PDB file of all heavy atoms in Angstrom:
ATOM      1  N   GLN A 159     119.643  53.029  42.108  1.00 88.00           N
ATOM      2  CA  GLN A 159     120.268  52.611  40.863  1.00 88.00           C
ATOM      3  C   GLN A 159     119.274  51.827  40.013  1.00 88.00           C
ATOM      4  O   GLN A 159     118.454  51.073  40.531  1.00 88.00           O
ATOM      5  CB  GLN A 159     121.505  51.753  41.126  1.00 88.00           C
ATOM      6  CG  GLN A 159     122.666  52.535  41.730  1.00 88.00           C
ATOM      7  CD  GLN A 159     123.952  51.730  41.796  1.00 88.00           C
ATOM      8  OE1 GLN A 159     123.935  50.493  41.763  1.00 88.00           O
ATOM      9  NE2 GLN A 159     125.082  52.419  41.863  1.00 88.00           N
ATOM     10  N   TYR A 160     119.374  52.026  38.684  1.00 88.00           N
ATOM     11  CA  TYR A 160     118.513  51.313  37.734  1.00 88.00           C
ATOM     12  C   TYR A 160     119.175  51.344  36.356  1.00 88.00           C
ATOM     13  O   TYR A 160     120.088  52.149  36.115  1.00 88.00           O
ATOM     14  CB  TYR A 160     117.115  51.926  37.678  1.00 88.00           C
ATOM     15  CG  TYR A 160     117.081  53.365  37.219  1.00 88.00           C
ATOM     16  CD1 TYR A 160     116.771  53.701  35.901  1.00 88.00           C
ATOM     17  CD2 TYR A 160     117.365  54.401  38.104  1.00 88.00           C
ATOM     18  CE1 TYR A 160     116.740  55.017  35.481  1.00 88.00           C
ATOM     19  CE2 TYR A 160     117.341  55.726  37.700  1.00 88.00           C
ATOM     20  CZ  TYR A 160     117.033  56.033  36.389  1.00 88.00           C
ATOM     21  OH  TYR A 160     117.010  57.346  35.974  1.00 88.00           O
ATOM     22  N   GLU A 161     118.716  50.460  35.488  1.00 87.00           N
ATOM     23  CA  GLU A 161     119.263  50.376  34.135  1.00 87.00           C
ATOM     24  C   GLU A 161     118.365  51.135  33.163  1.00 87.00           C
ATOM     25  O   GLU A 161     117.162  50.933  33.125  1.00 87.00           O
ATOM     26  CB  GLU A 161     119.360  48.905  33.682  1.00 87.00           C
ATOM     27  CG  GLU A 161     120.434  48.103  34.388  1.00 87.00           C
ATOM     28  CD  GLU A 161     121.832  48.392  33.846  1.00 87.00           C
ATOM     29  OE1 GLU A 161     121.929  48.997  32.756  1.00 87.00           O
ATOM     30  OE2 GLU A 161     122.817  48.031  34.516  1.00 87.00           O
ATOM     31  N   ASP A 162     118.973  52.037  32.376  1.00 80.00           N
ATOM     32  CA  ASP A 162     118.243  52.746  31.327  1.00 80.00           C
ATOM     33  C   ASP A 162     119.276  53.227  30.309  1.00 80.00           C
ATOM     34  O   ASP A 162     119.746  54.354  30.370  1.00 80.00           O
ATOM     35  CB  ASP A 162     117.456  53.919  31.914  1.00 80.00           C
ATOM     36  CG  ASP A 162     116.491  54.521  30.895  1.00 80.00           C
ATOM     37  OD1 ASP A 162     116.238  53.876  29.857  1.00 80.00           O
ATOM     38  OD2 ASP A 162     115.994  55.638  31.135  1.00 80.00           O
ATOM     39  N   GLY A 163     119.663  52.314  29.414  1.00 75.00           N
ATOM     40  CA  GLY A 163     120.740  52.620  28.484  1.00 75.00           C
ATOM     41  C   GLY A 163     122.080  52.660  29.186  1.00 75.00           C
ATOM     42  O   GLY A 163     122.976  53.397  28.794  1.00 75.00           O
ATOM     43  N   GLY A 164     122.224  51.874  30.238  1.00 74.00           N
ATOM     44  CA  GLY A 164     123.403  51.903  31.096  1.00 74.00           C
ATOM     45  C   GLY A 164     122.978  52.118  32.532  1.00 74.00           C
ATOM     46  O   GLY A 164     121.840  52.496  32.809  1.00 74.00           O
ATOM     47  N   LEU A 165     123.875  51.854  33.468  1.00 77.00           N
ATOM     48  CA  LEU A 165     123.548  51.983  34.881  1.00 77.00           C
ATOM     49  C   LEU A 165     123.364  53.451  35.247  1.00 77.00           C
ATOM     50  O   LEU A 165     124.248  54.281  35.003  1.00 77.00           O
ATOM     51  CB  LEU A 165     124.644  51.366  35.736  1.00 77.00           C
ATOM     52  CG  LEU A 165     124.398  51.378  37.251  1.00 77.00           C
ATOM     53  CD1 LEU A 165     123.180  50.543  37.602  1.00 77.00           C
ATOM     54  CD2 LEU A 165     125.627  50.860  37.994  1.00 77.00           C
ATOM     55  N   GLN A 166     122.196  53.778  35.837  1.00 82.00           N
ATOM     56  CA  GLN A 166     121.904  55.132  36.290  1.00 82.00           C
ATOM     57  C   GLN A 166     121.933  55.167  37.816  1.00 82.00           C
ATOM     58  O   GLN A 166     121.450  54.245  38.474  1.00 82.00           O
ATOM     59  CB  GLN A 166     120.528  55.583  35.796  1.00 82.00           C
ATOM     60  CG  GLN A 166     120.340  55.474  34.289  1.00 82.00           C
ATOM     61  CD  GLN A 166     121.234  56.424  33.533  1.00 82.00           C
ATOM     62  OE1 GLN A 166     121.427  57.561  33.938  1.00 82.00           O
ATOM     63  NE2 GLN A 166     121.808  55.958  32.424  1.00 82.00           N
ATOM     64  N   SER A 167     122.508  56.230  38.384  1.00 78.00           N
ATOM     65  CA  SER A 167     122.594  56.384  39.835  1.00 78.00           C
ATOM     66  C   SER A 167     121.989  57.718  40.242  1.00 78.00           C
ATOM     67  O   SER A 167     122.295  58.753  39.640  1.00 78.00           O
ATOM     68  CB  SER A 167     124.047  56.311  40.310  1.00 78.00           C
ATOM     69  OG  SER A 167     124.602  55.035  40.033  1.00 78.00           O
ATOM     70  N   LEU A 168     121.151  57.687  41.260  1.00 80.00           N
ATOM     71  CA  LEU A 168     120.488  58.893  41.747  1.00 80.00           C
ATOM     72  C   LEU A 168     120.713  59.015  43.253  1.00 80.00           C
ATOM     73  O   LEU A 168     120.153  58.238  44.027  1.00 80.00           O
ATOM     74  CB  LEU A 168     118.989  58.838  41.435  1.00 80.00           C
ATOM     75  CG  LEU A 168     118.132  59.993  41.941  1.00 80.00           C
ATOM     76  CD1 LEU A 168     118.557  61.294  41.281  1.00 80.00           C
ATOM     77  CD2 LEU A 168     116.654  59.721  41.669  1.00 80.00           C
ATOM     78  N   PRO A 169     121.545  59.959  43.701  1.00 80.00           N
ATOM     79  CA  PRO A 169     121.756  60.136  45.149  1.00 80.00           C
ATOM     80  C   PRO A 169     120.571  60.868  45.785  1.00 80.00           C
ATOM     81  O   PRO A 169     119.978  61.765  45.172  1.00 80.00           O
ATOM     82  CB  PRO A 169     123.030  60.970  45.216  1.00 80.00           C
ATOM     83  CG  PRO A 169     123.048  61.741  43.938  1.00 80.00           C
ATOM     84  CD  PRO A 169     122.365  60.878  42.905  1.00 80.00           C
ATOM     85  N   VAL A 170     120.234  60.494  47.028  1.00 81.00           N
ATOM     86  CA  VAL A 170     119.118  61.095  47.762  1.00 81.00           C
ATOM     87  C   VAL A 170     119.603  61.385  49.183  1.00 81.00           C
ATOM     88  O   VAL A 170     120.330  60.585  49.776  1.00 81.00           O
ATOM     89  CB  VAL A 170     117.896  60.158  47.796  1.00 81.00           C
ATOM     90  CG1 VAL A 170     116.713  60.840  48.473  1.00 81.00           C
ATOM     91  CG2 VAL A 170     117.509  59.706  46.388  1.00 81.00           C
ATOM     92  N   ASP A 171     119.196  62.529  49.738  1.00 79.00           N
ATOM     93  CA  ASP A 171     119.660  62.884  51.082  1.00 79.00           C
ATOM     94  C   ASP A 171     119.057  61.953  52.130  1.00 79.00           C
ATOM     95  O   ASP A 171     117.992  61.347  51.929  1.00 79.00           O
ATOM     96  CB  ASP A 171     119.306  64.340  51.409  1.00 79.00           C
ATOM     97  CG  ASP A 171     117.821  64.572  51.556  1.00 79.00           C
ATOM     98  OD1 ASP A 171     117.156  64.789  50.531  1.00 79.00           O
ATOM     99  OD2 ASP A 171     117.338  64.539  52.687  1.00 79.00           O
ATOM    100  N   GLY A 172     119.712  61.841  53.276  1.00 82.00           N
ATOM    101  CA  GLY A 172     119.342  60.867  54.296  1.00 82.00           C
ATOM    102  C   GLY A 172     118.019  61.126  54.975  1.00 82.00           C
ATOM    103  O   GLY A 172     117.455  60.221  55.597  1.00 82.00           O
ATOM    104  N   ALA A 173     117.483  62.361  54.899  1.00 81.00           N
ATOM    105  CA  ALA A 173     116.213  62.674  55.539  1.00 81.00           C
ATOM    106  C   ALA A 173     115.016  62.299  54.670  1.00 81.00           C
ATOM    107  O   ALA A 173     113.881  62.256  55.160  1.00 81.00           O
ATOM    108  CB  ALA A 173     116.142  64.161  55.880  1.00 81.00           C
ATOM    109  N   SER A 174     115.235  62.034  53.393  1.00 83.00           N
ATOM    110  CA  SER A 174     114.127  61.739  52.469  1.00 83.00           C
ATOM    111  C   SER A 174     113.682  60.293  52.583  1.00 83.00           C
ATOM    112  O   SER A 174     114.471  59.401  52.909  1.00 83.00           O
ATOM    113  CB  SER A 174     114.553  62.038  51.027  1.00 83.00           C
ATOM    114  OG  SER A 174     114.831  63.400  50.845  1.00 83.00           O
ATOM    115  N   ARG A 175     112.406  60.079  52.308  1.00 87.00           N
ATOM    116  CA  ARG A 175     111.849  58.727  52.244  1.00 87.00           C
ATOM    117  C   ARG A 175     111.150  58.474  50.914  1.00 87.00           C
ATOM    118  O   ARG A 175     110.449  57.474  50.750  1.00 87.00           O
ATOM    119  CB  ARG A 175     110.857  58.503  53.394  1.00 87.00           C
ATOM    120  CG  ARG A 175     111.511  58.496  54.778  1.00 87.00           C
ATOM    121  CD  ARG A 175     112.477  57.345  54.943  1.00 87.00           C
ATOM    122  NE  ARG A 175     113.086  57.334  56.253  1.00 87.00           N
ATOM    123  CZ  ARG A 175     114.217  57.951  56.568  1.00 87.00           C
ATOM    124  NH1 ARG A 175     114.886  58.635  55.637  1.00 87.00           N
ATOM    125  NH2 ARG A 175     114.695  57.908  57.799  1.00 87.00           N
ATOM    126  N   GLU A 176     111.327  59.372  49.974  1.00 85.00           N
ATOM    127  CA  GLU A 176     110.767  59.179  48.644  1.00 85.00           C
ATOM    128  C   GLU A 176     111.531  60.046  47.652  1.00 85.00           C
ATOM    129  O   GLU A 176     112.175  61.040  48.030  1.00 85.00           O
ATOM    130  CB  GLU A 176     109.272  59.530  48.604  1.00 85.00           C
ATOM    131  CG  GLU A 176     108.956  60.985  48.890  1.00 85.00           C
ATOM    132  CD  GLU A 176     107.477  61.275  48.836  1.00 85.00           C
ATOM    133  OE1 GLU A 176     106.677  60.333  48.977  1.00 85.00           O
ATOM    134  OE2 GLU A 176     107.114  62.454  48.648  1.00 85.00           O
TER     135      GLU A 176
END
Side-chain angles (χ1 to χ4, degrees):
Q159 291 189 339
Y160 62 99
E161 289 282 345
D162 190 14
L165 183 63
Q166 305 294 320
S167 297
L168 177 63
V170 184
D171 68 275
S174 296
R175 293 296 180 270
E176 64 180 21

